[in-house]
Amino acid sequence: MTTPVAVIVDAAAYAQAVEDAVKASAAYYEGGTSVLDDDSYDRLVRGIAAWEAAHPEQVLSRSPTGKVAGGAVEGDVPHTVAMLSLDNVFSPEEFTAWTTSLARRIGHDVTRFSVEPKLDGLAIAARYTRGRLTRLITRGDGTAGEDVSHAAGTIEGLPAELAEPVTVEVRGEVLMTTAQFEHANQVRTAHGGAPFANPRGASAGTLRARERAYTVPMTFFGYGLLPLADTGAPLTDRLGDLAHSGLMTLAAEYGVNTTATTAVPGITADTVEEVMARVKEIAALRAELPFGIDGIVIKADLAADQRTAGSGSRAPRWAIAYKLPAVEKITRLLDVEWNVGRTGIIAPRAVLEPVEIDGATITYATLHNPGDITRRDLRLGDHVMVHRAGDVIPRVEAPVAHLRTGTEQPIVFPQDCPRCGAGIDTSEQRWRCANGRNCHLVAALSYAAGRDQLDIEGLGHTRVVQLVDARLVTDLAGLFALTREQLLSLERMGETSTDNLLAAIGAAKDQPLSRVLCALGVRGTGRSMSRRIARHFATMDNIRTADAEAMRQVEGIGTEKAPSIVTELAELAPLIDKLVAAGVNMTEPGATPPAPAATDAAHDTREAADTPAEAAGGPLAGMTVVVTGAMTGSLDKLSRNQMNELIERAGGRSSSSVSKKTTLVVAGDGAGSKRAKAETLGIRLATPGEFATLVADYLG
Ligand code: IVH
C-alpha cells in the first residue's frame, strides 16, 4: 500500500507545506505532541519531495526531506556514530526493488536478513561505561542529541548495570506500552496537566521533562549495539564482526530488553519470500501487541554486507522500514451518545467527524465509562486521536490538547437513564440504569433467544419488539407463558409461524444450564464463563447457594468478580424461580457437582482432578484449544460457541486467544493473526477436517 501524496501546485503552496511540516515535526520532537497525525505528515513530506524533484532549484533549506528525522532539536552531546533514520517502502514490490538495488550495490544477493518490528517510540542511545549506565542521549539531528540522563531510572528494560562490565552504546526505542500510557495520562491529568494524545507523544514529553513532580515508567527495546572507545575494555572489540542478530542476542545477555521478549521477536530470514511471510505475521499480530508498531524493519543481517552497503546521509542502505498503514488519526469529537445495553449498563460512545483509518471510515469510537472521560479531560469539539487496529473496536485515545481553541464544551453526563428516565446507579465505574436489565428488555430478550443462548428460532429482534410493545412479555420467564392465542394476535403472525415459535420456545426449556445461565445475562459472565460455572456447580441450586468463596473456585473468577456474580444472581433470584416454575432445565449434562465445603487446599487438588478434561476423559483431555477461521466439512454449521462446547465435551478447554498455554489451534479458511501467532510459538495446528476426525465421537 502506498501512502498517497499531498498535491502541491506552486511555490507558495510548497513553502507553506515546508512550514507546516517543520512546525509539526518541531511540535512532535519538542512538545511531545504532533499537530499532524503520522499519515498526514508522511503525505505532506512525500508531496514536498515530489515538488522538489520537479523544481530542484527551488528547494528550501528548511525542507524536511534533507534532514535526519525531519528537523530535530539540536542537542549538545555528539554521537560517536551518526544516528540515522530509515528509508521507507510501502508494498512488496517496493521491498523487492529495494533488495534488488541492495544486491546490485553489494555485488550479490543478501543471504540473510533480520526482520523485526518497527517500534513506535523515540530513538535513544544509552552509553554504558564498564557495565554502568552513564548517559542517555536522544537522536537529536542525528549527529548530536540532547542529554536526557535524568530519565534513566524510569525506563524499564534499560538496566543501571549490565551483566558484564562492557563499554558499549545500546541504541533502541523508548516507548510507552498501552498500560503505561494510560497510567501516565492518569497521573498527568491528576497533576493538572493536559493529557498526551498518544503513547509516542507521551514518551517524547516524559523523556524530555526535567522538573516534574511525578515520574511515570516507560519501556526500552534495543535494536542496536556498538562498541565505545575505552582502553580498559577489550571485550567490546569483537562487536564489529557480529551480525545484527548476534548483537541482539548479546544485548539480551547483557540484560537489555529486546524484541525477543515480545510476541513478535526479531528473526532472521534467508529469502525475500521468508521476509514477506514474516512481515505478514507481524502485521497480523499488530492489533494484539501491548505497544505500538508502525512497520517492520528489515536489515541485512551480516556485518560484512552492512559494511559494503554503507550509509547515505539520512539512512543506512542496508536497512529499510516496511511501513504498515497508520492506525491513528486525528479527528473531531462531535458528540457523545449514551446507550443502554441489555444489562442496563449506560455506555458512552464518541460520535466523530468521519475519518478513514486503514481503509475503514470511522464515525464512532468507544469511550469506556464516565470516569474515563473525566480522566482524559475530553471536551466536545476537541481534536482527538482515534486508534483503530485490526477488528478491535476503535477507541478515542486522548484529546490533542494543544489544538484547543477555547470553544470546546464540557461533556454533559446524563442525570437520568437516557432510555427509561429512571435513576442511575453510579456506584461502580460503569454506570447502570436503576431498572437494570428491565430497562432495555428488548435487548435482554433478543440476547437470551440468540443462537448461542436459548437458540429460539423465529424470535428475532422485530418479534421481540412486538411482544414487549404488546406487553405480552415483561421478563425472560414470560416467554415460556406465551399462549397460541397471544401469538396469533400479533401482526404478521400466521398459524405456522406461531406453532413453530411455540415449538422452539418449548425446546429451549431443555437447553443445558450453561446456556440458560448465559441467557440470564449475569454481568461479567459471557458464554465461556457461563459454561465454566455450569460445569463446576452442575445445578442451578448449587450455583445459587454458592457464596463468593465458592464462586472463586471456578477457574477464571477472581476475588473481584466472585462477589459481584453472587450479588447479581441474588438479584436474579425471582426470575430464576419463575424459570424453574416454567419447567426450564437447570442442570448441566455430564457435570458432577463439587465436593461440599471446599477449602483452598481441597480446591487445589480438585482443580487438577476436576477439570472437564479429567471429568470427561475425552480425546482433548488436558488440551487447550483455540478455533480460528471458517469451519468446513462436518463442522461447517457450528457457531464458534458450538465449537467451544464441542471442545469442552471432548474433554478440552476452549480459549479465544493463542498463548504459550495453547496446545492446539484449529485453523480454518481465512485464519489470520491467531494462526500466525501459533506458528510463531510452534503450537500444533489442525485443519477443520483433522479436528473433526479427532472429536468424531463427540460430534452431533
Ligand atoms: S534501526 C541505522 N530498528 O525507526 C538503523 N530502527 O524511522 C537505524 N526504529 O530512527 C535504526 N524500531 O528510531 C531500527 N527495529 C528497529 C526499529 C527502529 C524502530 C526507529 C528508529 C529509527 C526510526 C526510523
Side-chain angles (χ1 to χ4, degrees), residues 400-433:
V400 185
H402 68 269
L403 290 182
R404 281 196 172 139
T405 59
T407 57
E408 295 77 16
Q409 296 297 313
I411 293 170
V412 181
F413 291 1
Q415 302 294 312
D416 306 310
C417 172
R419 191 177 169 84
C420 72
I424 298 179
D425 174 359
T426 59
S427 61
E428 291 186 34
Q429 281 248 2
R430 306 207 298 163
W431 289 8
R432 193 178 186 213
C433 169

PDB file of all heavy atoms in Angstrom, residues 400-433:
ATOM      1  N   VAL A 400      -6.199  16.106  21.635  1.00  0.00           N
ATOM      2  CA  VAL A 400      -4.936  16.751  21.256  1.00  0.00           C
ATOM      3  C   VAL A 400      -5.025  18.144  21.875  1.00  0.00           C
ATOM      4  O   VAL A 400      -5.532  19.092  21.268  1.00  0.00           O
ATOM      5  CB  VAL A 400      -4.777  16.805  19.722  1.00  0.00           C
ATOM      6  CG1 VAL A 400      -3.405  17.357  19.340  1.00  0.00           C
ATOM      7  CG2 VAL A 400      -4.962  15.411  19.136  1.00  0.00           C
ATOM      8  N   ALA A 401      -4.565  18.229  23.105  1.00  0.00           N
ATOM      9  CA  ALA A 401      -4.872  19.389  23.946  1.00  0.00           C
ATOM     10  C   ALA A 401      -4.388  20.709  23.333  1.00  0.00           C
ATOM     11  O   ALA A 401      -5.068  21.732  23.436  1.00  0.00           O
ATOM     12  CB  ALA A 401      -4.279  19.191  25.330  1.00  0.00           C
ATOM     13  N   HIS A 402      -3.248  20.694  22.677  1.00  0.00           N
ATOM     14  CA  HIS A 402      -2.752  21.997  22.196  1.00  0.00           C
ATOM     15  C   HIS A 402      -3.471  22.473  20.931  1.00  0.00           C
ATOM     16  O   HIS A 402      -3.187  23.555  20.428  1.00  0.00           O
ATOM     17  CB  HIS A 402      -1.229  21.966  22.017  1.00  0.00           C
ATOM     18  CG  HIS A 402      -0.790  21.079  20.909  1.00  0.00           C
ATOM     19  ND1 HIS A 402      -0.483  19.765  21.094  1.00  0.00           N
ATOM     20  CD2 HIS A 402      -0.630  21.324  19.599  1.00  0.00           C
ATOM     21  CE1 HIS A 402      -0.141  19.235  19.951  1.00  0.00           C
ATOM     22  NE2 HIS A 402      -0.229  20.165  19.018  1.00  0.00           N
ATOM     23  N   LEU A 403      -4.395  21.690  20.416  1.00  0.00           N
ATOM     24  CA  LEU A 403      -5.185  22.178  19.280  1.00  0.00           C
ATOM     25  C   LEU A 403      -6.490  22.814  19.761  1.00  0.00           C
ATOM     26  O   LEU A 403      -7.364  23.143  18.981  1.00  0.00           O
ATOM     27  CB  LEU A 403      -5.492  21.033  18.311  1.00  0.00           C
ATOM     28  CG  LEU A 403      -4.308  20.497  17.507  1.00  0.00           C
ATOM     29  CD1 LEU A 403      -4.753  19.395  16.560  1.00  0.00           C
ATOM     30  CD2 LEU A 403      -3.633  21.611  16.715  1.00  0.00           C
ATOM     31  N   ARG A 404      -6.612  22.992  21.062  1.00  0.00           N
ATOM     32  CA  ARG A 404      -7.843  23.580  21.603  1.00  0.00           C
ATOM     33  C   ARG A 404      -7.947  25.055  21.228  1.00  0.00           C
ATOM     34  O   ARG A 404      -6.940  25.758  21.198  1.00  0.00           O
ATOM     35  CB  ARG A 404      -7.872  23.438  23.121  1.00  0.00           C
ATOM     36  CG  ARG A 404      -8.275  22.047  23.516  1.00  0.00           C
ATOM     37  CD  ARG A 404      -8.692  21.935  24.953  1.00  0.00           C
ATOM     38  NE  ARG A 404      -9.237  20.596  25.128  1.00  0.00           N
ATOM     39  CZ  ARG A 404      -9.020  19.829  26.187  1.00  0.00           C
ATOM     40  NH1 ARG A 404      -8.287  20.287  27.197  1.00  0.00           N
ATOM     41  NH2 ARG A 404      -9.547  18.641  26.259  1.00  0.00           N
ATOM     42  N   THR A 405      -9.170  25.473  20.957  1.00  0.00           N
ATOM     43  CA  THR A 405      -9.384  26.867  20.581  1.00  0.00           C
ATOM     44  C   THR A 405     -10.072  27.642  21.703  1.00  0.00           C
ATOM     45  O   THR A 405     -10.244  28.849  21.615  1.00  0.00           O
ATOM     46  CB  THR A 405     -10.290  26.938  19.335  1.00  0.00           C
ATOM     47  OG1 THR A 405     -11.531  26.299  19.678  1.00  0.00           O
ATOM     48  CG2 THR A 405      -9.655  26.226  18.154  1.00  0.00           C
ATOM     49  N   GLY A 406     -10.509  26.945  22.722  1.00  0.00           N
ATOM     50  CA  GLY A 406     -11.233  27.621  23.796  1.00  0.00           C
ATOM     51  C   GLY A 406     -12.728  27.544  23.598  1.00  0.00           C
ATOM     52  O   GLY A 406     -13.505  27.943  24.467  1.00  0.00           O
ATOM     53  N   THR A 407     -13.165  27.036  22.446  1.00  0.00           N
ATOM     54  CA  THR A 407     -14.610  26.956  22.191  1.00  0.00           C
ATOM     55  C   THR A 407     -15.166  25.579  22.549  1.00  0.00           C
ATOM     56  O   THR A 407     -16.354  25.317  22.389  1.00  0.00           O
ATOM     57  CB  THR A 407     -14.912  27.221  20.702  1.00  0.00           C
ATOM     58  OG1 THR A 407     -14.158  26.273  19.937  1.00  0.00           O
ATOM     59  CG2 THR A 407     -14.519  28.623  20.287  1.00  0.00           C
ATOM     60  N   GLU A 408     -14.306  24.679  23.001  1.00  0.00           N
ATOM     61  CA  GLU A 408     -14.763  23.326  23.331  1.00  0.00           C
ATOM     62  C   GLU A 408     -15.719  23.384  24.526  1.00  0.00           C
ATOM     63  O   GLU A 408     -15.573  24.242  25.392  1.00  0.00           O
ATOM     64  CB  GLU A 408     -13.570  22.418  23.662  1.00  0.00           C
ATOM     65  CG  GLU A 408     -12.619  22.166  22.505  1.00  0.00           C
ATOM     66  CD  GLU A 408     -11.695  23.340  22.210  1.00  0.00           C
ATOM     67  OE1 GLU A 408     -11.574  24.238  23.075  1.00  0.00           O
ATOM     68  OE2 GLU A 408     -11.124  23.381  21.108  1.00  0.00           O
ATOM     69  N   GLN A 409     -16.656  22.453  24.515  1.00  0.00           N
ATOM     70  CA  GLN A 409     -17.681  22.442  25.561  1.00  0.00           C
ATOM     71  C   GLN A 409     -17.540  21.203  26.438  1.00  0.00           C
ATOM     72  O   GLN A 409     -17.130  20.149  25.953  1.00  0.00           O
ATOM     73  CB  GLN A 409     -19.070  22.413  24.913  1.00  0.00           C
ATOM     74  CG  GLN A 409     -19.391  23.648  24.097  1.00  0.00           C
ATOM     75  CD  GLN A 409     -19.425  24.898  24.965  1.00  0.00           C
ATOM     76  OE1 GLN A 409     -20.028  24.902  26.032  1.00  0.00           O
ATOM     77  NE2 GLN A 409     -18.743  25.950  24.516  1.00  0.00           N
ATOM     78  N   PRO A 410     -17.909  21.327  27.714  1.00  0.00           N
ATOM     79  CA  PRO A 410     -17.842  20.132  28.557  1.00  0.00           C
ATOM     80  C   PRO A 410     -18.814  19.050  28.077  1.00  0.00           C
ATOM     81  O   PRO A 410     -19.849  19.371  27.483  1.00  0.00           O
ATOM     82  CB  PRO A 410     -18.259  20.643  29.939  1.00  0.00           C
ATOM     83  CG  PRO A 410     -18.873  21.969  29.708  1.00  0.00           C
ATOM     84  CD  PRO A 410     -18.362  22.515  28.419  1.00  0.00           C
ATOM     85  N   ILE A 411     -18.479  17.823  28.347  1.00  0.00           N
ATOM     86  CA  ILE A 411     -19.373  16.709  28.010  1.00  0.00           C
ATOM     87  C   ILE A 411     -20.377  16.559  29.157  1.00  0.00           C
ATOM     88  O   ILE A 411     -19.977  16.460  30.319  1.00  0.00           O
ATOM     89  CB  ILE A 411     -18.569  15.408  27.814  1.00  0.00           C
ATOM     90  CG1 ILE A 411     -17.692  15.550  26.567  1.00  0.00           C
ATOM     91  CG2 ILE A 411     -19.479  14.190  27.716  1.00  0.00           C
ATOM     92  CD1 ILE A 411     -16.683  14.455  26.376  1.00  0.00           C
ATOM     93  N   VAL A 412     -21.637  16.602  28.799  1.00  0.00           N
ATOM     94  CA  VAL A 412     -22.667  16.538  29.838  1.00  0.00           C
ATOM     95  C   VAL A 412     -22.995  15.076  30.136  1.00  0.00           C
ATOM     96  O   VAL A 412     -23.354  14.316  29.239  1.00  0.00           O
ATOM     97  CB  VAL A 412     -23.932  17.297  29.380  1.00  0.00           C
ATOM     98  CG1 VAL A 412     -24.992  17.259  30.475  1.00  0.00           C
ATOM     99  CG2 VAL A 412     -23.573  18.729  29.015  1.00  0.00           C
ATOM    100  N   PHE A 413     -22.874  14.703  31.391  1.00  0.00           N
ATOM    101  CA  PHE A 413     -23.217  13.337  31.796  1.00  0.00           C
ATOM    102  C   PHE A 413     -24.708  13.274  32.094  1.00  0.00           C
ATOM    103  O   PHE A 413     -25.271  14.214  32.650  1.00  0.00           O
ATOM    104  CB  PHE A 413     -22.440  12.923  33.061  1.00  0.00           C
ATOM    105  CG  PHE A 413     -20.960  12.754  32.835  1.00  0.00           C
ATOM    106  CD1 PHE A 413     -20.383  12.980  31.590  1.00  0.00           C
ATOM    107  CD2 PHE A 413     -20.135  12.352  33.874  1.00  0.00           C
ATOM    108  CE1 PHE A 413     -19.019  12.812  31.379  1.00  0.00           C
ATOM    109  CE2 PHE A 413     -18.769  12.176  33.683  1.00  0.00           C
ATOM    110  CZ  PHE A 413     -18.211  12.413  32.429  1.00  0.00           C
ATOM    111  N   PRO A 414     -25.369  12.174  31.733  1.00  0.00           N
ATOM    112  CA  PRO A 414     -26.815  12.096  31.988  1.00  0.00           C
ATOM    113  C   PRO A 414     -27.115  12.039  33.494  1.00  0.00           C
ATOM    114  O   PRO A 414     -26.338  11.491  34.270  1.00  0.00           O
ATOM    115  CB  PRO A 414     -27.207  10.775  31.317  1.00  0.00           C
ATOM    116  CG  PRO A 414     -25.957   9.975  31.220  1.00  0.00           C
ATOM    117  CD  PRO A 414     -24.827  10.948  31.129  1.00  0.00           C
ATOM    118  N   GLN A 415     -28.232  12.652  33.875  1.00  0.00           N
ATOM    119  CA  GLN A 415     -28.681  12.617  35.275  1.00  0.00           C
ATOM    120  C   GLN A 415     -29.630  11.441  35.482  1.00  0.00           C
ATOM    121  O   GLN A 415     -29.702  10.859  36.556  1.00  0.00           O
ATOM    122  CB  GLN A 415     -29.429  13.904  35.634  1.00  0.00           C
ATOM    123  CG  GLN A 415     -28.619  15.186  35.432  1.00  0.00           C
ATOM    124  CD  GLN A 415     -27.452  15.244  36.400  1.00  0.00           C
ATOM    125  OE1 GLN A 415     -27.631  15.008  37.589  1.00  0.00           O
ATOM    126  NE2 GLN A 415     -26.249  15.534  35.891  1.00  0.00           N
ATOM    127  N   ASP A 416     -30.394  11.150  34.402  1.00  0.00           N
ATOM    128  CA  ASP A 416     -31.355  10.046  34.450  1.00  0.00           C
ATOM    129  C   ASP A 416     -31.053   9.104  33.306  1.00  0.00           C
ATOM    130  O   ASP A 416     -30.376   9.485  32.353  1.00  0.00           O
ATOM    131  CB  ASP A 416     -32.787  10.571  34.259  1.00  0.00           C
ATOM    132  CG  ASP A 416     -33.109  11.657  35.253  1.00  0.00           C
ATOM    133  OD1 ASP A 416     -32.869  11.427  36.452  1.00  0.00           O
ATOM    134  OD2 ASP A 416     -33.561  12.736  34.812  1.00  0.00           O
ATOM    135  N   CYS A 417     -31.568   7.903  33.405  1.00  0.00           N
ATOM    136  CA  CYS A 417     -31.332   6.929  32.343  1.00  0.00           C
ATOM    137  C   CYS A 417     -31.844   7.486  31.014  1.00  0.00           C
ATOM    138  O   CYS A 417     -33.013   7.871  30.908  1.00  0.00           O
ATOM    139  CB  CYS A 417     -32.053   5.623  32.657  1.00  0.00           C
ATOM    140  SG  CYS A 417     -31.992   4.479  31.269  1.00  0.00           S
ATOM    141  N   PRO A 418     -30.992   7.557  29.997  1.00  0.00           N
ATOM    142  CA  PRO A 418     -31.415   8.135  28.720  1.00  0.00           C
ATOM    143  C   PRO A 418     -32.476   7.294  28.011  1.00  0.00           C
ATOM    144  O   PRO A 418     -33.118   7.753  27.074  1.00  0.00           O
ATOM    145  CB  PRO A 418     -30.123   8.166  27.897  1.00  0.00           C
ATOM    146  CG  PRO A 418     -29.194   7.208  28.564  1.00  0.00           C
ATOM    147  CD  PRO A 418     -29.594   7.145  30.008  1.00  0.00           C
ATOM    148  N   ARG A 419     -32.718   6.080  28.492  1.00  0.00           N
ATOM    149  CA  ARG A 419     -33.680   5.216  27.817  1.00  0.00           C
ATOM    150  C   ARG A 419     -35.045   5.230  28.498  1.00  0.00           C
ATOM    151  O   ARG A 419     -36.067   5.446  27.864  1.00  0.00           O
ATOM    152  CB  ARG A 419     -33.135   3.790  27.800  1.00  0.00           C
ATOM    153  CG  ARG A 419     -33.892   2.910  26.922  1.00  0.00           C
ATOM    154  CD  ARG A 419     -33.370   1.529  26.806  1.00  0.00           C
ATOM    155  NE  ARG A 419     -34.409   0.805  26.118  1.00  0.00           N
ATOM    156  CZ  ARG A 419     -34.550   0.787  24.814  1.00  0.00           C
ATOM    157  NH1 ARG A 419     -33.655   1.377  24.058  1.00  0.00           N
ATOM    158  NH2 ARG A 419     -35.567   0.180  24.261  1.00  0.00           N
ATOM    159  N   CYS A 420     -35.045   5.083  29.835  1.00  0.00           N
ATOM    160  CA  CYS A 420     -36.345   4.964  30.503  1.00  0.00           C
ATOM    161  C   CYS A 420     -36.581   6.070  31.531  1.00  0.00           C
ATOM    162  O   CYS A 420     -37.644   6.136  32.127  1.00  0.00           O
ATOM    163  CB  CYS A 420     -36.469   3.598  31.166  1.00  0.00           C
ATOM    164  SG  CYS A 420     -35.428   3.419  32.626  1.00  0.00           S
ATOM    165  N   GLY A 421     -35.586   6.914  31.755  1.00  0.00           N
ATOM    166  CA  GLY A 421     -35.776   8.043  32.658  1.00  0.00           C
ATOM    167  C   GLY A 421     -35.627   7.699  34.130  1.00  0.00           C
ATOM    168  O   GLY A 421     -35.760   8.571  34.992  1.00  0.00           O
ATOM    169  N   ALA A 422     -35.326   6.443  34.440  1.00  0.00           N
ATOM    170  CA  ALA A 422     -35.131   6.067  35.853  1.00  0.00           C
ATOM    171  C   ALA A 422     -33.812   6.664  36.361  1.00  0.00           C
ATOM    172  O   ALA A 422     -33.047   7.245  35.596  1.00  0.00           O
ATOM    173  CB  ALA A 422     -35.109   4.545  35.971  1.00  0.00           C
ATOM    174  N   GLY A 423     -33.575   6.487  37.652  1.00  0.00           N
ATOM    175  CA  GLY A 423     -32.325   6.993  38.215  1.00  0.00           C
ATOM    176  C   GLY A 423     -31.136   6.181  37.704  1.00  0.00           C
ATOM    177  O   GLY A 423     -31.300   5.168  37.019  1.00  0.00           O
ATOM    178  N   ILE A 424     -29.926   6.672  38.031  1.00  0.00           N
ATOM    179  CA  ILE A 424     -28.724   5.963  37.582  1.00  0.00           C
ATOM    180  C   ILE A 424     -27.904   5.548  38.795  1.00  0.00           C
ATOM    181  O   ILE A 424     -27.677   6.350  39.703  1.00  0.00           O
ATOM    182  CB  ILE A 424     -27.857   6.860  36.665  1.00  0.00           C
ATOM    183  CG1 ILE A 424     -28.643   7.246  35.413  1.00  0.00           C
ATOM    184  CG2 ILE A 424     -26.574   6.142  36.269  1.00  0.00           C
ATOM    185  CD1 ILE A 424     -27.886   8.147  34.453  1.00  0.00           C
ATOM    186  N   ASP A 425     -27.483   4.298  38.788  1.00  0.00           N
ATOM    187  CA  ASP A 425     -26.596   3.813  39.848  1.00  0.00           C
ATOM    188  C   ASP A 425     -25.158   4.114  39.412  1.00  0.00           C
ATOM    189  O   ASP A 425     -24.652   3.512  38.462  1.00  0.00           O
ATOM    190  CB  ASP A 425     -26.819   2.305  40.016  1.00  0.00           C
ATOM    191  CG  ASP A 425     -25.840   1.689  41.007  1.00  0.00           C
ATOM    192  OD1 ASP A 425     -24.984   2.425  41.539  1.00  0.00           O
ATOM    193  OD2 ASP A 425     -25.926   0.467  41.233  1.00  0.00           O
ATOM    194  N   THR A 426     -24.541   5.074  40.096  1.00  0.00           N
ATOM    195  CA  THR A 426     -23.192   5.494  39.691  1.00  0.00           C
ATOM    196  C   THR A 426     -22.131   4.942  40.649  1.00  0.00           C
ATOM    197  O   THR A 426     -21.003   5.425  40.678  1.00  0.00           O
ATOM    198  CB  THR A 426     -23.084   7.039  39.658  1.00  0.00           C
ATOM    199  OG1 THR A 426     -23.387   7.513  40.977  1.00  0.00           O
ATOM    200  CG2 THR A 426     -24.030   7.659  38.665  1.00  0.00           C
ATOM    201  N   SER A 427     -22.515   3.931  41.429  1.00  0.00           N
ATOM    202  CA  SER A 427     -21.585   3.459  42.455  1.00  0.00           C
ATOM    203  C   SER A 427     -20.402   2.692  41.869  1.00  0.00           C
ATOM    204  O   SER A 427     -19.373   2.555  42.502  1.00  0.00           O
ATOM    205  CB  SER A 427     -22.323   2.584  43.477  1.00  0.00           C
ATOM    206  OG  SER A 427     -22.870   1.465  42.802  1.00  0.00           O
ATOM    207  N   GLU A 428     -20.562   2.184  40.641  1.00  0.00           N
ATOM    208  CA  GLU A 428     -19.437   1.487  40.030  1.00  0.00           C
ATOM    209  C   GLU A 428     -18.920   2.279  38.839  1.00  0.00           C
ATOM    210  O   GLU A 428     -19.565   3.222  38.380  1.00  0.00           O
ATOM    211  CB  GLU A 428     -19.882   0.086  39.590  1.00  0.00           C
ATOM    212  CG  GLU A 428     -20.163  -0.805  40.802  1.00  0.00           C
ATOM    213  CD  GLU A 428     -20.470  -2.236  40.407  1.00  0.00           C
ATOM    214  OE1 GLU A 428     -19.894  -2.716  39.416  1.00  0.00           O
ATOM    215  OE2 GLU A 428     -21.290  -2.854  41.105  1.00  0.00           O
ATOM    216  N   GLN A 429     -17.732   1.884  38.344  1.00  0.00           N
ATOM    217  CA  GLN A 429     -17.121   2.564  37.188  1.00  0.00           C
ATOM    218  C   GLN A 429     -18.108   2.671  36.035  1.00  0.00           C
ATOM    219  O   GLN A 429     -18.241   3.712  35.410  1.00  0.00           O
ATOM    220  CB  GLN A 429     -15.929   1.728  36.704  1.00  0.00           C
ATOM    221  CG  GLN A 429     -14.695   1.902  37.523  1.00  0.00           C
ATOM    222  CD  GLN A 429     -13.632   2.612  36.718  1.00  0.00           C
ATOM    223  OE1 GLN A 429     -13.825   3.002  35.579  1.00  0.00           O
ATOM    224  NE2 GLN A 429     -12.492   2.819  37.332  1.00  0.00           N
ATOM    225  N   ARG A 430     -18.786   1.528  35.765  1.00  0.00           N
ATOM    226  CA  ARG A 430     -19.753   1.535  34.673  1.00  0.00           C
ATOM    227  C   ARG A 430     -21.111   1.873  35.257  1.00  0.00           C
ATOM    228  O   ARG A 430     -21.608   1.165  36.140  1.00  0.00           O
ATOM    229  CB  ARG A 430     -19.774   0.171  33.995  1.00  0.00           C
ATOM    230  CG  ARG A 430     -18.360  -0.234  33.560  1.00  0.00           C
ATOM    231  CD  ARG A 430     -18.354  -1.149  32.389  1.00  0.00           C
ATOM    232  NE  ARG A 430     -19.018  -2.413  32.613  1.00  0.00           N
ATOM    233  CZ  ARG A 430     -19.405  -3.216  31.612  1.00  0.00           C
ATOM    234  NH1 ARG A 430     -19.195  -2.846  30.374  1.00  0.00           N
ATOM    235  NH2 ARG A 430     -19.988  -4.356  31.865  1.00  0.00           N
ATOM    236  N   TRP A 431     -21.690   2.940  34.775  1.00  0.00           N
ATOM    237  CA  TRP A 431     -22.981   3.366  35.307  1.00  0.00           C
ATOM    238  C   TRP A 431     -24.075   2.424  34.826  1.00  0.00           C
ATOM    239  O   TRP A 431     -23.995   1.852  33.740  1.00  0.00           O
ATOM    240  CB  TRP A 431     -23.283   4.790  34.847  1.00  0.00           C
ATOM    241  CG  TRP A 431     -22.422   5.815  35.518  1.00  0.00           C
ATOM    242  CD1 TRP A 431     -21.351   5.584  36.335  1.00  0.00           C
ATOM    243  CD2 TRP A 431     -22.550   7.231  35.408  1.00  0.00           C
ATOM    244  NE1 TRP A 431     -20.808   6.769  36.747  1.00  0.00           N
ATOM    245  CE2 TRP A 431     -21.520   7.797  36.194  1.00  0.00           C
ATOM    246  CE3 TRP A 431     -23.430   8.081  34.729  1.00  0.00           C
ATOM    247  CZ2 TRP A 431     -21.352   9.179  36.309  1.00  0.00           C
ATOM    248  CZ3 TRP A 431     -23.262   9.454  34.827  1.00  0.00           C
ATOM    249  CH2 TRP A 431     -22.232   9.986  35.637  1.00  0.00           C
ATOM    250  N   ARG A 432     -25.133   2.334  35.673  1.00  0.00           N
ATOM    251  CA  ARG A 432     -26.195   1.405  35.310  1.00  0.00           C
ATOM    252  C   ARG A 432     -27.561   2.017  35.609  1.00  0.00           C
ATOM    253  O   ARG A 432     -27.735   2.686  36.639  1.00  0.00           O
ATOM    254  CB  ARG A 432     -26.023   0.113  36.125  1.00  0.00           C
ATOM    255  CG  ARG A 432     -26.869  -1.017  35.619  1.00  0.00           C
ATOM    256  CD  ARG A 432     -26.607  -2.273  36.426  1.00  0.00           C
ATOM    257  NE  ARG A 432     -27.310  -3.400  35.845  1.00  0.00           N
ATOM    258  CZ  ARG A 432     -27.817  -4.402  36.545  1.00  0.00           C
ATOM    259  NH1 ARG A 432     -27.686  -4.427  37.854  1.00  0.00           N
ATOM    260  NH2 ARG A 432     -28.448  -5.370  35.951  1.00  0.00           N
ATOM    261  N   CYS A 433     -28.522   1.763  34.734  1.00  0.00           N
ATOM    262  CA  CYS A 433     -29.893   2.225  34.947  1.00  0.00           C
ATOM    263  C   CYS A 433     -30.448   1.525  36.192  1.00  0.00           C
ATOM    264  O   CYS A 433     -30.223   0.332  36.400  1.00  0.00           O
ATOM    265  CB  CYS A 433     -30.739   1.872  33.730  1.00  0.00           C
ATOM    266  SG  CYS A 433     -32.496   2.112  34.031  1.00  0.00           S
TER     267      CYS A 433
END
